[in-house]
């Protein structure tokens, strides 16, 4: 089996699981308890918080709120950060942002969507034109989860603050964290991350925030996470997250080069008469979106699955939607006929050259066969 749907989820890192196992089986206590074992776990959470934040930010200036995943982190940022006036975001956001801003709209906040360029990156000039003195929050995805387009969120945040210094800036960094070498700047107020995209386990994420930013909780209860996210913390999952992040950032540049080589190889092996590549060379090497011309992407997905190749057709989080076409792909200016053939291939550091060669061969053969059957 060749697994190339790592943008949907990655295989948990076995070394990480082994290192964190004691927090599941031995040190299973409630970190909010007053006895010694509970207090010691609370210290472990503080250590994890510091280590995760330090991967991309100054831990003296930023902290984080542990969540159930990237979706909750995005919802927290939107629904508790965009409190008045209008929210500006892009047409290329993950559904966790898209649906959250629609909820904010139901609560009386105006929502403005910036256009996309053909590769899925945001049209920065259009986005800035939407920001005014009533804009409470701007949210721009760091790496587009469908096309891999990379937005320069540090520069965009700086320009947003120049227009309105009181506007909060948030970025969904789920597909960037641990893959793109990047540091948070003073202009970025909030940044969402998910553990299972980097070899951690599902059900854990974090919203990184400026320490001096006053933010209301999204989930209420016992006051955990410094009253920002109630609910007993998943210590095992959080420690898995911490250990996975450490591993990723220890060799992030080498991993980037490895995956970049795989992307170049894969693109060179695809039959250009049957595939158009949407993702530009400047996109994240971890994600490639292609169009299988003249066939349905979903059909190809199932056929290659039968041959031992697992890929995607876009965001896995939108697969439960009844909409046939990706709203992100359509926002890139791709017509419905071509959008019907979208496939997403996404690598991890565990992906190999042998797998890439085999995957390209399976895709070329499958699309060719499907097209013959249709003629």
């Amino acid at each position: 089996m060749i697994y190339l749907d790592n943008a949907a989820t990655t295989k948990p890192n076995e070394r990480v699981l082994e290192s964190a196992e004691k927090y599941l089986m031995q040190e299973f206590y409630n970190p909010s308890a007053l006895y010694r074992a509970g207090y010691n776990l609370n210290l472990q959470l503080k250590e994890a918080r510091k280590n995760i934040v330090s991967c991309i930010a100054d831990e003296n200036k930023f902290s984080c709120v542990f969540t159930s995943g990237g979706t909750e982190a995005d919802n927290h940022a939107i629904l508790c950060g965009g409190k008045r006036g209008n929210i500006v975001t892009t047409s290329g956001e993950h559904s966790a942002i898209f649906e959250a801003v629609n909820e904010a709209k139901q609560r009386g906040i105006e929502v403005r969507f910036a256009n996309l360029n053909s590769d899925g990156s945001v049209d920065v000039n259009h986005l800035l034109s939407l920001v005014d003195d009533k804009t409470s929050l701007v949210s721009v995805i760091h790496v587009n989860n469908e096309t891999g387009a990379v937005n320069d969120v540090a520069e965009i945040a700086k320009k947003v603050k120049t227009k309105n210094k009181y506007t909060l800036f948030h970025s969904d960094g789920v597909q960037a964290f641990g893959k793109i070498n990047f540091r948070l700047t003073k202009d970025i107020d909030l940044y969402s991350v998910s553990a299972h995209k980097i070899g951690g386990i599902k059900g854990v994420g974090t919203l990184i925030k400026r320490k001096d930013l006053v933010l209301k909780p999204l989930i209420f209860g016992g006051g955990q996470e410094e009253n920002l996210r109630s609910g007993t913390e998943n210590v095992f999952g959080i420690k898995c997250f911490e250990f996975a992040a450490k591993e990723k950032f220890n060799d992030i540049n080498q991993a980037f080069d490895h995956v970049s080589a795989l992307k170049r190889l894969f693109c060179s092996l695809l039959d250009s008469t049957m595939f158009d590549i949407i993702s530009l060379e400047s996109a994240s090497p971890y994600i490639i979106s292609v169009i299988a011309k003249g066939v349905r992407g979903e059909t190809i997905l199932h056929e290659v699955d039968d041959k031992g190749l697992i890929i995607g057709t876009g965001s896995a989080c939108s697969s439960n939607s009844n909409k046939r076409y990706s709203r992100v792909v359509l926002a890139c200016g791709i017509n419905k006929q071509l959008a019907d053939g979208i496939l997403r291939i996404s690598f991890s550091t565990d992906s190999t050259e042998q797998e890439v060669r085999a995957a390209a061969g399976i895709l070329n053969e499958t699309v060719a066969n499907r097209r013959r059957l249709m003629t």
Side-chain angles (χ1 to χ4, degrees):
M1 186 268 286
I2 301 171
Y3 180 72
L4 295 180
D5 195 25
N6 291 280
T9 192
T10 57
K11 179 182 178 181
N13 184 316
E14 291 183 15
R15 293 182 300 276
V16 163
L17 294 176
E18 290 172 1
S19 298
E21 183 182 13
K22 66 178 182 179
Y23 299 102
L24 183 66
M25 301 305 298
Q26 287 86 43
E27 300 183 34
F28 54 83
Y29 312 103
N30 190 322
S32 296
L34 298 179
Y35 47 77
R36 183 181 302 172
Y39 177 73
N40 288 339
L41 279 186
N42 188 269
L43 295 179
Q44 288 294 315
L45 288 180
K46 289 181 179 179
E47 183 72 10
R49 198 185 317 278
K50 175 183 175 182
N51 287 334
I52 291 170
V53 169
S54 67
C55 288
I56 62 166
D58 182 348
E59 64 267 26
N60 295 314
K61 297 179 180 179
F62 288 85
S63 185
C64 71
V65 182
F66 288 120
T67 67
S68 63
T71 293
E72 184 189 326
D74 281 345
N75 276 229
H76 196 165
I78 297 299
L79 297 176
C80 299
K83 296 177 290 187
R84 64 188 185 283
N86 63 73
I87 294 173
V88 176
T89 188
T90 85
S91 298
E93 298 299 306
H94 186 277
S95 55
I97 294 293
F98 185 76
E99 297 300 337
V101 297
N102 282 332
E103 173 60 25
K105 185 177 180 180
Q106 296 299 315
R107 300 181 184 188
I109 297 175
E110 181 189 358
V111 178
R112 302 172 178 178
F113 291 96
N115 297 333
L116 300 185
N117 299 314
S118 60
D119 67 332
S121 61
V122 64
D123 181 334
V124 177
N125 289 332
H126 185 229
L127 179 128
L128 293 173
S129 72
L130 301 177
V131 177
D132 58 26
D133 59 354
K134 294 183 180 179
T135 303
S136 58
L137 178 77
V138 171
S139 185
V140 176
I141 196 167
H142 194 172
V143 171
N144 187 287
N145 58 295
E146 296 194 36
T147 70
V150 181
N151 288 306
D152 187 350
V153 291
E155 184 63 23
I156 295 171
K158 182 179 179 180
K159 290 179 178 179
V160 166
K161 297 286 186 177
T162 299
K163 287 205 70 174
N164 185 344
K165 65 181 180 179
Y166 299 109
T167 298
L168 296 182
F169 188 90
H170 166 259
S171 180
D172 178 335
V174 167
Q175 297 293 348
F177 185 81
K179 300 174 184 179
I180 306 293
N181 204 346
F182 171 80
R183 302 287 293 180
L184 295 184
T185 64
K186 63 181 179 61
D187 298 310
I188 298 174
D189 303 287
L190 298 159
Y191 194 80
S192 302
V193 177
S194 179
H196 75 102
K197 307 294 188 178
I198 60 166
I201 65 169
K202 301 174 186 67
V204 182
T206 189
L207 179 62
I208 299 175
K209 62 178 285 292
R210 279 194 299 104
K211 280 190 172 180
D212 59 356
L213 174 64
V214 177
L215 192 69
K216 287 187 176 181
L218 179 68
I219 295 177
F220 296 86
Q224 291 87 347
E225 292 298 291
E226 299 180 350
N227 288 311
L228 285 173
R229 201 278 184 183
S230 292
T232 303
E233 296 93 341
N234 177 0
V235 180
F236 169 68
I238 290 169
K239 295 303 283 188
C240 283
F241 190 8
E242 175 193 2
F243 298 152
K246 280 184 175 181
E247 282 212 14
K248 286 296 180 185
F249 281 89
N250 278 340
D251 65 352
I252 190 169
N253 291 324
Q254 298 94 314
F256 187 90
D257 291 342
H258 168 69
V259 176
S260 295
L262 295 181
K263 175 184 176 180
R264 289 192 295 270
L265 175 63
F266 181 81
C267 291
S268 71
L269 293 172
L270 276 187
D271 188 332
S272 60
T273 66
M274 295 186 291
F275 294 94
D276 284 335
I277 299 173
I278 298 175
S279 302
L280 300 181
E281 189 174 341
S282 59
S284 166
Y286 289 85
I287 298 174
I288 304 175
S289 261
V290 303
I291 296 171
K293 294 182 281 189
V295 296
R296 284 200 67 190
E298 186 177 345
T299 300
I300 300 303
L301 179 148
H302 292 303
E303 290 187 358
V304 300
D305 190 8
D306 291 338
K307 298 176 181 179
L309 172 61
I310 297 176
I311 57 174
T313 56
S315 174
C317 293
S318 299
S319 62
N320 293 324
S321 171
N322 291 324
K323 295 180 181 178
R324 178 166 176 173
Y325 308 103
S326 162
R327 59 176 172 77
V328 174
V329 170
L330 294 179
C332 293
I334 296 171
N335 64 48
K336 288 184 177 180
Q337 183 178 1
L338 291 176
D340 208 21
I342 284 288
L343 296 168
R344 183 183 69 177
I345 296 89
S346 47
F347 305 116
S348 78
T349 51
D350 293 330
S351 302
T352 67
E353 179 181 330
Q354 182 180 6
E355 288 177 328
V356 165
R357 289 185 180 277
I362 291 171
L363 280 166
N364 287 337
E365 177 188 36
T366 304
V367 172
N369 288 339
R370 176 52 50 186
R371 290 173 67 171
R372 278 195 295 269
L373 290 171
M374 294 171 64
T375 57

